[in-house]
Amino acid sequence: MRAARSLPARWQAGGTRISRDRGVAGTEYAAMILVVAMIIAALVGLSVPQDEATGLKAAVCRVIHPLDGADACADGDYRDPDEPYDPDNPRDVPDVPENDPFEPAKCLLSEDQTKTTVVVQILFIKISGSETVKIQQWSDGTVTMERMSEVGGGVTASISAGIPGLKDWGGSASLSGSYMKGSGSGGQWVFDKNKSDDPQADLEANLADAKKFADFLKDVQDCNNRPGRSELQMICGYHANKKKGDLDPDRAPDVDITKTTTELSGGLSLGKSFTKGKGDDKKDLGSISTDLLSASMTEDVVVMRTKTGSDAGKVTFVYTFSVGGQGGEGVQGKGSKMQQVAVTYDAAAYDAEDKNGDPHHPQKMTITTSEEVGDGGGIKVGAGANAGPVTIDVGGGGGTIHSTIHTETAELPLDNDGDSTLVEDWLRGRGDFPASDALPNPSDATKPLTDDAGPLETLLHDKAKLSRLDYTANTDWWNASLGIGFGISAGQVTMGFKLFGIDITHEEKNQTITGDPTYATGPQKGGGRPWVEWKNCTRTKPIPT
């Protein structure tokens, strides 16, 4: 087995990040466009691991019971108790103790997210703003609602060239790239006042409260944005308050959230221009274009300070790296990969340690990885008209993408100084096994340890709560854009940029759990950790929205 994998240096515990933002010089920008092209190529091969349990069960059964055939496979009792457990064999399941300490307390059942993004471009400068609302259903009957507002800025450019085979028809291809940094703030509200022995009924009641509160906040925002006299806004607010029922209109978020984002993105599009006449009488009639591929690499740092509930007084730093892409004409394809680590501290102790320069003492670390792949109908196109070197472009599109998401999580409680120090040193790049490359894969922690296993691998294998989930997701999106550009041609290469542009994208995504949620129980004979039914997850069903 390979040595312990480790966390990228770009993720530093406690919000400290290695400075890599020195601006985008010319050579760096050229490299950036090359990287974007490589991302697009890499995303073509993205896939979500499929469950091959049926074939595996049949093959194992035939090997162990070559004479008994299907009858032996049907009873499920073919495992030799003296053999080591195989964590990848779904029939190789031990007796799970009641209240298994390795079983996570809850899982995410579904998530509804609405996001609107507005991007304004002036010359090579991009300014963006977005608003995101997210409602999540959890298997313990609680519901969370999160609202985030983000703003950002950066640089962008594009380069295009004619396609020799389409020269007579004005065919061209363009590659664009941008670099953006942003920040945001918001909050998370927890709806859990409905508590009983029936988490399904609690979920339904808490979801109703969350939706009512979300509608109330939206109505209040619409009232505040209305032009006119303050008296009219007060009347609007009065009617909004009546809708909320017995919910507290001044309820503050249970969790305060701040966020910083760095994004590198780019795209490939194909276009065609139209002309009339020949020679000196030739006139440019405009052009059409189709966005063929787009891709992005994103680093997020989120700080969550919890003010109420069982986690009151905690601060969690969430570091996320993701790569994603979308493309196609007529049939849209989508793929993404995400790696995330979240580290939780006692907020007061962390602030004091940070002020005095003392070592920090994390209380929990959670590692999450996910992959998403999907496709669906949709298209994004544009049309333009030329007036000399100046162009006016109008674009738009929309569609629906159906995708599957595979998620794995390792939740590691750090309940003693030794484990806490080990994780902190790993995050900070200290000791013999520092974080430097990719995050450990939660599934790897179910396999038996080898002699060369590192201390973090050992800790995850021995103590982490390991789980895996599958989701189906539907994403509805639309886009509209307007741009005024300027281009300079040199042969078949055109350097173009926008004098002014505005781009609006709206996305609604619904994600719902599917399949058989599983978690890994404790180490068994032979060292493996078998996957078993996650009863704390399966006891509650998501409520359609």
Side-chain angles (χ1 to χ4, degrees):
M1 176 179 283
R2 58 185 177 277
R5 285 189 274 174
S6 50
L7 188 67
R10 58 176 162 263
W11 291 326
Q12 298 294 316
T16 302
R17 305 178 67 194
I18 294 177
S19 177
R20 304 180 353 168
D21 306 319
R22 300 186 303 266
V24 182
T27 56
E28 291 175 316
Y29 203 85
M32 177 190 74
I33 295 179
L34 177 60
V35 168
V36 169
M38 292 173 64
I39 295 172
I40 294 172
L43 287 169
V44 173
L46 277 180
S47 63
V48 175
Q50 299 298 315
D51 187 2
E52 299 177 354
T54 302
L56 179 60
K57 286 189 290 186
V60 171
C61 187
R62 284 194 297 270
V63 171
I64 297 179
H65 293 279
L67 301 179
D68 297 335
D71 291 340
C73 295
D75 60 20
D77 295 329
Y78 57 77
R79 190 188 66 79
D80 184 345
D82 294 328
E83 291 296 320
Y85 286 96
D86 178 3
D88 292 323
N89 184 355
R91 299 292 287 272
D92 200 0
V93 178
D95 293 330
V96 180
E98 189 175 354
N99 299 320
D100 186 356
F102 287 95
E103 182 176 12
K106 64 179 180 180
C107 71
L108 177 65
L109 297 175
S110 75
E111 177 178 289
D112 291 303
Q113 176 177 292
T114 301
K115 182 176 182 179
T116 301
T117 303
V118 179
V119 178
V120 176
Q121 181 177 334
I122 302 174
L123 297 177
F124 295 103
I125 306 300
K126 264 189 173 183
I127 302 171
S128 69
S130 68
E131 184 81 20
T132 303
V133 177
K134 184 188 302 181
I135 296 180
Q136 297 175 315
Q137 301 179 36
W138 299 88
S139 61
D140 64 348
T142 62
V143 176
T144 57
M145 188 194 78
E146 182 178 306
R147 292 189 67 184
M148 285 290 298
S149 297
E150 298 179 63
V151 295
V155 295
T156 184
S158 65
I159 185 171
S160 63
I163 300 176
L166 299 178
K167 183 177 180 180
D168 295 338
W169 291 270
S172 64
S174 64
L175 184 66
S176 62
S178 64
Y179 173 86
M180 300 279 289
K181 284 187 68 68
S183 62
S185 62
Q188 182 186 86
W189 289 262
V190 179
F191 296 87
D192 60 355
K193 74 173 186 178
N194 299 285
K195 295 180 180 179
S196 68
D197 293 331
D198 184 356
Q200 190 71 52
D202 295 342
L203 181 65
E204 184 173 351
N206 288 326
L207 180 61
D209 286 347
K211 287 182 175 180
K212 191 182 299 183
F213 192 70
D215 290 341
F216 162 71
L217 292 179
K218 184 178 183 299
D219 288 345
V220 170
Q221 184 178 28
D222 290 343
C223 291
N224 293 335
N225 292 335
R226 284 189 177 186
R229 299 172 58 184
S230 59
E231 291 86 349
L232 297 178
Q233 293 177 340
M234 291 177 61
I235 295 173
C236 179
Y238 169 77
H239 289 287
N241 279 329
K242 291 182 64 176
K243 292 183 180 180
K244 67 170 179 57
D246 59 353
L247 296 175
D248 181 3
D250 299 321
R251 177 178 175 180
D254 299 282
V255 182
D256 287 332
I257 304 174
T258 57
K259 179 179 180 180
T260 58
T261 300
T262 302
E263 180 182 78
L264 188 66
S265 63
L268 173 67
S269 64
L270 299 179
K272 180 179 179 180
S273 58
F274 297 90
T275 59
K276 180 180 181 181
K278 296 183 178 180
D280 295 338
D281 295 330
K282 188 175 182 179
K283 294 183 179 180
D284 196 335
L285 300 180
S287 63
I288 61 172
S289 63
T290 299
D291 280 0
L292 191 62
L293 292 169
S294 62
S296 64
M297 292 188 296
T298 305
E299 294 181 20
D300 289 335
V301 181
V302 174
V303 182
M304 307 179 69
R305 288 185 176 267
T306 306
K307 301 184 295 184
T308 64
S310 60
D311 290 330
K314 308 289 187 185
V315 59
T316 300
F317 298 88
V318 184
Y319 309 93
T320 306
F321 175 73
S322 59
V323 55
Q326 183 172 326
E329 185 176 359
V331 177
Q332 293 277 312
K334 177 181 181 179
S336 66
K337 290 186 177 182
M338 183 274 289
Q339 292 180 316
Q340 181 184 88
V341 59
V343 193
T344 300
Y345 304 83
D346 178 88
Y350 177 88
D351 292 339
E353 292 162 354
D354 201 45
K355 180 179 179 180
N356 299 326
D358 296 331
H360 298 301
H361 298 82
Q363 298 179 340
K364 183 175 72 172
M365 180 176 71
T366 303
I367 294 173
T368 303
T369 63
S370 74
E371 294 187 2
E372 178 176 2
V373 64
D375 56 51
I379 192 171
K380 185 177 178 182
V381 297
N386 298 341
V390 178
T391 61
I392 299 176
D393 298 300
V394 178
T400 299
I401 293 179
H402 308 285
S403 58
T404 57
I405 304 171
H406 178 74
T407 300
E408 298 184 359
T409 301
E411 181 183 318
L412 182 62
L414 305 173
D415 52 9
N416 62 76
D417 289 340
D419 292 348
S420 180
T421 300
L422 188 156
V423 167
E424 181 70 7
D425 287 346
W426 178 75
L427 290 168
R428 299 279 180 177
R430 297 191 290 256
D432 296 331
F433 295 89
S436 59
D437 295 317
L439 281 176
N441 189 328
S443 283
D444 290 345
T446 64
K447 296 177 172 60
L449 291 171
T450 57
D451 294 338
D452 61 350
L456 183 65
E457 273 185 316
T458 303
L459 193 58
L460 289 171
H461 175 272
D462 292 345
K463 297 185 177 182
K465 297 181 179 181
L466 308 172
S467 59
R468 57 186 185 185
L469 296 168
D470 292 291
Y471 299 89
T472 58
N474 294 319
T475 304
D476 296 320
W477 65 276
W478 60 261
N479 170 268
S481 64
L482 170 67
I484 301 174
F486 184 84
I488 302 175
S489 298
Q492 289 191 352
V493 178
T494 301
M495 295 298 295
F497 57 88
K498 288 183 178 178
L499 299 173
F500 173 81
I502 184 169
D503 186 283
I504 303 173
T505 301
H506 181 80
E507 182 178 282
E508 295 184 7
K509 181 176 182 179
N510 172 263
Q511 173 180 322
T512 306
I513 196 170
T514 186
D516 300 315
T518 56
Y519 79 95
T521 190
Q524 306 295 313
K525 184 175 181 179
R529 294 185 57 179
W531 296 102
V532 298
E533 180 187 357
W534 188 357
K535 294 182 179 179
N536 285 342
C537 187
T538 57
R539 64 181 177 177
T540 314
K541 304 300 180 185
I543 299 172
T545 58

